[in-house]
Amino acid sequence: MRVAVIVFPGSNCDRDMTVAIEHITGRRPQQVWHKETTLEPVDLAIIPGGFSFGDYLRCGALAARSPAMEAVQDHAARGGAVLGVCNGFQVLLETGMLPGVLVKNRDLRFVCRETSLKVEENNQSVFTSGLEAGEILRIPVAHNEGNYTADEATLSSLEENGQIALRYTDGAHIGPYNPNGAANDIAGITSANGRVMGMMPHPERAIGDGLALQDGRRFLAAAIEALAG
Amino acid sequence: MQVVIHISLKDGVLDPEGRAIGHSLASLGFDDANSVRVGKNITLDIDTDDASRAHQRAARMCEVLLANTVIEDYEIEVIEES
């Protein structure tokens, strides 16, 4: 299983993601600097969380136009799998690889806490294919702009095509179950072909082994197993 | 030529920042202030003396990078030197 983690100035979850992937696969992913114009053949490219380019202009906007992201788009066009987490999700939306936009949280506050996520029954993606439909994952979020929105037509087509992968749902955590006001409680979506996924919650921060939560590991391991299969 | 680009949220897009500022203005007694919206201005110098070319280049920059046209509108103002 070959994985690449793209690194921008201001990325800050790149190392956690690298460690998480190494724990699962036993193989250290390659870290790819944003100025690289090509991507070695990989099974999965990951866009990590953080504050790429200081969130200047719009979250993810500058990273989305970097040479490495062009290479990631070529990789996706060949059917390669791509996962964007938090700022990585913002980057994928800015490239247009996924539809919609992430705007400021409903309560205008940075939210950093556990959330409960329901794996959508009808999601048709490689990322959730190894999980139980309807199962609940406990994974934390940490963001200021995680409020997913799109026009009505886009939201309807996401629903109808089974492109919603994860939805915020009730759980034993503090605060409202939807942490940011996201439309239709959307926490993660996938592309029409199910090979590109963006999600606000941070699976790499919930990999057990000293961390309180481990469902992030379950999510990543299931995705990697499905991709390897 | 100097160009000023005004970027604003499209009508109907929720602007929580504008709403918070509106609430703050109201609490300061400015209860005649309605529909507060926050946008941004980007000023730049484009390497041409042709106003229509400056406009065209700025529009291209907005489409490619400066505005997210899913939620934002942009207006371009080319400053004619006097």
Side-chain angles (χ1 to χ4, degrees), chain A residues 127-139:
Chain A
F127 293 96
T128 58
S129 62
L131 299 169
E132 302 290 331
E135 86 169 87
I136 307 294
L137 302 174
R138 294 167 60 201
I139 298 179

Side-chain angles (χ1 to χ4, degrees), chain A residues 24-95:
Chain A
I24 292 163
T25 64
R27 188 169 166 181
R28 194 166 181 82
Q30 40 168 317
Q31 294 195 322
V32 178
W33 185 235
H34 70 109
K35 288 187 175 168
E36 296 290 333
T37 53
T38 55
L39 199 59
E40 281 175 37
V42 288
D43 303 296
L44 172 64
I46 301 181
I47 323 301
F51 300 85
S52 58
F53 296 91
D55 276 351
Y56 290 167
L57 191 63
R58 297 178 304 276
C59 301
L62 301 181
R65 278 82 177 170
S66 64
M69 281 310 300
E70 277 190 33
V72 168
Q73 288 181 77
D74 291 343
H75 159 80
R78 293 190 296 266
V82 182
L83 174 66
V85 171
C86 197
N87 187 226
F89 187 9
Q90 295 163 343
V91 172
L92 293 179
L93 295 174
E94 280 283 346
T95 62

Side-chain angles (χ1 to χ4, degrees), chain B residues 40-54:
Chain B
K40 58 191 149 200
N41 284 344
I42 298 173
T43 61
L44 65 157
D45 214 48
I46 295 179
D47 212 0
T48 177
D49 294 324
D50 178 345
S52 76
R53 173 158 174 84

Side-chain angles (χ1 to χ4, degrees), chain B residues 13-25:
Chain B
V13 175
L14 192 67
D15 179 4
E17 196 174 356
R19 200 172 49 181
I21 292 168
H23 288 156
S24 195
L25 282 172

Side-chain angles (χ1 to χ4, degrees), chain A residues 96-112:
Chain A
M97 295 168 76
L98 293 170
V101 64
L102 289 153
V103 297
K104 274 204 176 63
N105 295 343
R106 172 192 52 213
D107 300 328
L108 294 176
R109 283 198 202 105
F110 192 96
V111 179
C112 181

